[in-house]
Amino acid sequence: MPIFVHLFVLISCLSPGMGENNDTQPRFARSVVNMDDLLNLEDDLVTNLEGFAQKLSQKARTVRWGIQLMREQLERIKEDKSLEFLDSFKSYSLIRHMQADWLMWKQYLEQPVILDQLNYNGSENLKMPLELDLLDAAEAIRRMQATYGLLSNDIAKGLLDGVQYNSTLAPIDCLAMGHHLMNQSRWTMAEQWILAAIEAQERKGPRTEMMLLSGPSKSELYRTLAKVRIGKRNAEGALKAYRAALKHSPPDPEIFQEYQHLKWGVLTSSAGEPIAEEPNDDIEEMELPPCCSGRCEGPRKLKRLYCVYNCATAAFLRLAPIKTEILSIDPFVVLLHDMVSPKEAALIRSSSKSTIFPSETVNAANDFVVSKFRTSKSVWLDRDANEATVKLTQRLADATGLDVKHSEHFQVINYGIGGVFESHFDTTLEDTNRFVGGFIDRIATTLFYLNDVPQGGATHFPGLNITVFPRLGAALFWYNLDTQGMLQVRTMHTGCPVIVGSKWVVSKWIDDKGQEFRRPCIRSRSDSKYLPSIERIIL
């Protein structure tokens, strides 16, 4: 299984102090925390443009006033019966006017209008989205679409995984998605998006000045469709698209030349070769499993799964037991309810917004990189960061029976547009190196959910066919290592793409070192009832 080693080595989250984040770009698509900045920037730019329009209007009034004065002067001169008898003063005035006034008007018309106010791109305080941000957003939409099997036309019409929203994509948005997919040689999906752009172009409704200004035209859409079909080796379909493009733009010589070239190639059987083969997405399907929707048809063992009130792992729980939903016994996976209050969740979210940065992972060369398989932003908080983290630390210790003093800091994570974390393990060591050198590894993971997510964003275990959707206050807990200290292969999990909303979670990784008396190695699961840790709740 080649992906096993790939994910084992490459996808490990950073611990605090392991590396510095050198990515200075906001990476807007990777979190929602900067959306307010974009909206404020948009408001500033609109205000700026309104001022520009007012200046242009004032300039137009000045020009119209000058036109009126010159016409009046011209009429007065024409009233003379013969231009030959113009007196010297009038002649002088006419020559001066033709030489100087028109030069003045030329300079006035060429003078920029409030150019200094429009130079917002050079301002250090205003960060506009870059091409990288558009690529992030387009790739997120593509991966979300592939994971949930969404049709391009449905997305353009606001129909997302069976739920209709009051929103649509403009033709230019669909065209941009088409271009993104064409650059990746994904001709089939690109064709869907171009056809969605054509349907959006034909959709009835008011057209704003900006839409009319920025396009695209039907001719451009059909021309792009033709190029996509050439990439698919569909020459006949490409010719049909070119004829439609010429119909909507008959005088365009470039489109006509492309059409004639393709037509001649078809006649001589030398056309129709693809620009490049479409990529094989088999590996991507493993990294983004199709069961993220929670509607997987695969079998799942439900034997001995139940819900209990945990009052066994801490004395305090006899007064306030924790609702615990057992999702799997081997490996051990439970969902802890009411672990975070709404007030605590809001405090953690608000305290993290100003310090959150694009999440990094470690690649094969042990370099810290912002990668495409983890599209989020995150920040580390220690257990004493605020009142909420202090309570979460104590609550987690009570719920699991583990010594959380031996653990990493809290990692607050926010997922933005189509935010995803591809299938991975949370451990950092291979089994062959696990007991060499005294290295510490992550015996267990806890994932606190800080908000509800309207659609998508589930945590999915492909090997267990378990899909857990984010719910405010819940915490998902599992052991990464078995009772012998070896990797639990079926704990590979995926942070599924967010469809609608924003996903806020807090990860807490507990070290194996320090748990020797809380979760010692045992011979079989039947001995778990003697453990002081959470497995003792298994009946």
Side-chain angles (χ1 to χ4, degrees), residues 361-429:
T361 51
V362 182
N363 62 14
N366 285 327
D367 294 325
F368 307 115
V369 295
V370 177
S371 62
K372 70 174 185 178
F373 52 75
R374 190 187 187 196
T375 56
S376 63
K377 291 185 178 181
S378 56
V379 63
W380 294 92
L381 298 179
D382 62 40
R383 69 190 67 187
D384 298 323
N386 53 51
E387 181 183 353
T389 56
V390 171
K391 291 184 178 179
L392 259 61
T393 301
Q394 182 58 52
R395 211 169 287 150
L396 181 61
D398 291 343
T400 63
L402 299 176
D403 188 350
V404 295
K405 294 179 181 177
H406 298 278
S407 63
E408 299 177 25
H409 291 338
F410 291 100
Q411 189 182 42
V412 184
I413 310 168
N414 179 236
Y415 293 87
I417 301 173
V420 65
F421 198 166
E422 291 181 8
S423 298
H424 64 285
F425 298 107
D426 283 346
T427 52
T428 58
L429 301 175

Side-chain angles (χ1 to χ4, degrees), residues 2-14 18 361-367 369 373 423-433 487 492:
I3 193 175
F4 180 88
V5 177
H6 169 76
L7 291 171
F8 189 93
V9 176
L10 296 188
I11 308 183
S12 57
C13 307
L14 297 181
M18 290 179 63
T361 51
V362 182
N363 62 14
N366 285 327
D367 294 325
V369 295
F373 52 75
S423 298
H424 64 285
F425 298 107
D426 283 346
T427 52
T428 58
L429 301 175
E430 296 185 48
D431 283 346
T432 54
N433 301 325
L487 174 67
M492 177 186 285

Side-chain angles (χ1 to χ4, degrees), residues 11 26 119 166 173 201 297 303 446:
I11 308 183
N119 191 23
N166 186 25
D173 298 323
Q201 183 79 281
E297 297 179 358
K303 186 179 180 181
T446 307

